[in-house]
Amino acid sequence: MNAKFSVKTIVAIGIGAALFFVCGRFIAIPSPVPNTTITIQYGILAFMAVEFGPIAGLLIGLIGHALIDASYGWGVWWSWVIASGVFGLLMGICTSKVNLDGGKFEKGDIIRFNVSQVICHVICWGAVAPVLDILIYQEPVEKLFAQGLVSGISNAVTTAIVGTLICLAFALTKPKSGSLSKED
């Protein structure tokens, strides 16, 4: 995989990581499960991964989540940071056929986006984060899968709402492919 980045992509990574951080740190509703919150940052991450690709999604998730953890003062919880990065990577791969720059985010694209994000959340919060928690931190299994279940469900719901709306709004700002025709 060729990892050439344009200036636009590098700037998007910085802005995306900052937005991920702000939303994850300051727009968070505590859940009934310890150390989990309901947030909207995964909708932003999903949009950024669709628009800028899997490597940008990976870096936005890694950097943004590491900043959130570091800001709380308990240290960086690497298992969840890696899961956030994997979510961005997988979303960029799964939605590579969605072309928001073409000015279209239609029913098929919305379905692809949402099926992809649900699958990516299941992988990340049902497998990646809990397994890494067990391997890295020797955390109790019951607690981990409860956290993963709550996080996966809440992230999927907020991504479906916020991510879909951002993708729709962004696509509306772009001219539709083929909308300008040469007059005879």
Side-chain angles (χ1 to χ4, degrees), residues 15-38:
I15 292 170
L19 286 170
F20 189 97
F21 165 73
V22 169
C23 291
R25 181 64 169 93
F26 300 109
I27 306 173
I29 302 166
S31 84
V33 176
N35 302 320
T36 59
T37 55
I38 300 167

Side-chain angles (χ1 to χ4, degrees), residues 121-132:
H121 280 305
V122 167
I123 291 168
C124 291
W125 310 116
V128 175
V131 168
L132 289 176

Side-chain angles (χ1 to χ4, degrees), residues 8 51 98-104 170-171 174-177:
K8 181 178 174 182
E51 182 61 19
V98 174
N99 180 15
L100 298 176
D101 287 327
K104 295 179 183 175
F170 184 80
K174 302 294 183 178
K176 290 199 183 324
S177 298

Side-chain angles (χ1 to χ4, degrees), residues 37-111:
T37 55
I38 300 167
T39 60
I40 63 169
Q41 78 258 28
Y42 289 97
I44 293 166
L45 176 56
F47 159 72
M48 297 297 274
V50 169
E51 182 61 19
F52 296 100
I55 302 302
L58 170 74
L59 293 171
I60 291 166
L62 290 172
I63 295 165
H65 200 131
L67 290 171
I68 291 168
D69 284 3
S71 74
Y72 277 110
W74 61 59
V76 177
W77 206 257
W78 290 108
S79 51
W80 286 60
V81 169
I82 292 167
S84 290
V86 169
F87 176 79
L89 176 74
L90 292 176
M91 275 303 291
I93 293 168
C94 292
T95 59
S96 62
K97 299 214 185 293
V98 174
N99 180 15
L100 298 176
D101 287 327
K104 295 179 183 175
F105 190 65
E106 296 169 338
K107 185 178 179 180
D109 298 318
I110 293 168
I111 291 168

